[in-house]
């Protein structure tokens, strides 16, 4: 099978819809930990490899919170969770009631952030599992202290030729404090093709057999009609079972 390209807004639309549904469950779990919050709809982008590294570095790896996970089931590749510097400090202040100060985030602070990270990782893992209709599992976290740590992972034989990285960005607010988290999915070429193939199947399931009368495939009305059906199909698929996160936080 030839390597697929991320050429359509359709795939990103499905990801956005899936993220919106899953994040509604994360909102409850996060509120239980840090109090009432508001959350923006997640954004999804596909970045070229070089731009991904620039994006990661621009948030300040050394002063932020960055952990990596290998994908061990369902797909293959690497995932990375990042809380940029100011967001990491805000989380520590919220969770522990103290400012990390100039010395940076200590082990207790990192452990507290990881509690929030576990919720978000569970959500994103569940999104991927629902989209490919298979269980997805991750390894224990590996800290990244510098860009070199990430580049070393990317030099692995299975990731050496990766050209596209999927980035999920989530922002949530508590009072006047805004916290941003970034989740990067670095799939192997085979995993990327598998994921895109599954998205193609979802789009195919909702495409009308006969275009609207007098409309071409490029007409906005046809696109919007299909987009609505894609969202509805995605909601149905993700609502068949309770999200993993929701099960963890019940009771």
């Amino acid at each position: 099978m030839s390597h697929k390209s991320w050429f359509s807004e359709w795939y990103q639309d499905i990801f956005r819809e899936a993220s919106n549904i899953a994040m509604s469950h994360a909102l409850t779990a996060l509120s239980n930990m840090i109090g009432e919050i508001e959350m923006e709809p997640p954004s999804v982008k596909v970045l070229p490899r070089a731009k991904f590294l620039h994006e990661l570095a621009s948030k300040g790896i050394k002063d932020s919170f960055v952990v990596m996970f290998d994908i061990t089931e369902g797909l293959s590749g690497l995932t990375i969770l990042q809380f940029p510097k100011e967001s990491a400090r805000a989380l520590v202040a919220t969770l522990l009631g103290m400012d990390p100060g100039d010395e940076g985030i200590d082990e207790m602070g990192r452990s507290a952030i990881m509690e929030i990270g576990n919720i978000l990782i569970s959500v994103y893992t569940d999104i991927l599992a629902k989209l490919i209709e298979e269980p997805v599992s991750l390894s224990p976290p590996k800290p990244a202290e510098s860009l070199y740590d990430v580049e070393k992972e990317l030099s692995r034989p299975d990731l050496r030729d990766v050209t596209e990285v999927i980035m999920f960005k989530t922002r949530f607010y508590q009072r006047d404090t805004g916290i941003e988290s970034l989740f990067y999915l670095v799939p192997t070429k085979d995993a990327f093709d598998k994921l895109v193939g599954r998205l193609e199947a979802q789009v195919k399931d909702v495409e009308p057999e006969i275009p609207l009368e007098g409309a071409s495939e490029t007409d906005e009305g046809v696109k919007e009609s299909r987009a609505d059906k894609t969202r509805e199909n995605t909601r149905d698929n993700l609502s068949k079972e309770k999200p993993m996160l929701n099960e963890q936080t019940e009771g």
Side-chain angles (χ1 to χ4, degrees):
M1 179 173 62
S2 60
H3 180 50
K4 298 177 183 291
S5 297
W6 188 280
F7 58 83
S8 173
E9 272 291 318
W10 288 95
Y11 307 146
Q12 297 183 49
D13 197 50
I14 293 173
F15 262 120
R16 279 190 287 267
E17 189 61 36
S19 298
N20 280 330
I21 294 167
M23 280 300 167
S24 67
H25 298 284
L27 186 67
T28 301
L30 290 173
S31 296
N32 289 338
M33 289 189 66
I34 64 177
E36 186 176 349
I37 61 171
E38 296 180 9
M39 183 176 289
E40 291 182 2
S43 63
V44 182
K45 291 183 181 178
V46 177
L47 306 175
R49 182 186 182 112
K51 190 172 182 180
F52 149 66
L53 288 170
H54 174 75
E55 182 82 19
L56 191 68
S58 69
K59 303 296 182 181
I61 293 183
K62 183 177 179 181
D63 298 320
S64 63
F65 178 88
V66 183
V67 288
M68 303 178 290
F69 305 79
D70 289 322
I71 308 173
T72 58
E73 183 183 8
L75 296 170
S76 55
L78 182 73
T79 63
I80 300 170
L81 176 68
Q82 180 181 35
F83 287 101
K85 178 181 177 180
E86 293 306 318
S87 293
R89 293 172 67 91
L91 269 178
V92 172
T94 299
L95 294 168
L96 301 182
M98 66 172 104
D99 191 308
D102 295 334
E103 296 181 0
I105 301 171
D106 59 15
E107 193 59 37
M108 182 182 296
R110 293 182 69 83
S111 177
I113 295 174
M114 196 63 225
E115 288 298 312
I116 299 295
N118 282 335
I119 292 173
L120 296 177
I121 285 291
S122 295
V123 168
Y124 287 123
T125 302
D126 198 49
I127 291 171
L128 296 174
K130 293 288 195 298
L131 290 175
I132 67 171
E133 298 183 335
E134 294 180 27
V136 174
S137 299
L138 303 180
S139 71
K142 301 180 285 187
E145 305 291 345
S146 68
L147 191 61
Y148 171 76
D149 292 334
V150 178
E151 291 177 322
K152 188 167 72 171
E153 290 294 324
L154 294 182
S155 68
R156 291 169 8 192
D158 59 327
L159 299 178
R160 200 172 291 156
D161 297 326
V162 166
T163 58
E164 295 151 312
V165 176
I166 304 170
M167 180 182 78
F168 300 82
K169 182 185 291 185
T170 304
R171 288 187 63 83
F172 51 94
Y173 300 87
Q174 186 187 49
R175 296 184 292 276
D176 297 326
T177 302
I179 296 169
E180 180 179 88
S181 71
L182 298 124
F183 179 80
Y184 303 93
L185 172 62
V186 189
T188 62
K189 284 192 173 185
D190 287 345
F192 189 90
D193 288 348
K194 179 178 181 178
L195 184 55
V196 173
R198 178 56 195 150
L199 298 183
E200 284 179 342
Q202 290 199 36
V203 171
K204 187 175 181 180
D205 286 344
V206 300
E207 285 184 344
E209 294 181 5
I210 302 175
L212 298 177
E213 185 176 353
S216 70
E217 290 294 308
T218 58
D219 284 349
E220 291 303 318
V222 174
K223 287 183 179 180
E224 189 59 35
S225 175
R226 290 184 179 179
D228 289 342
K229 290 182 180 180
T230 300
R231 294 187 187 99
E232 183 179 346
N233 187 65
T234 305
R235 290 191 195 100
D236 289 344
N237 287 343
L238 269 79
S239 299
K240 288 176 182 176
E241 302 174 11
K242 287 184 179 179
M244 174 175 61
L245 177 62
N246 203 36
E247 293 174 356
Q248 290 177 340
T249 55
E250 284 184 350

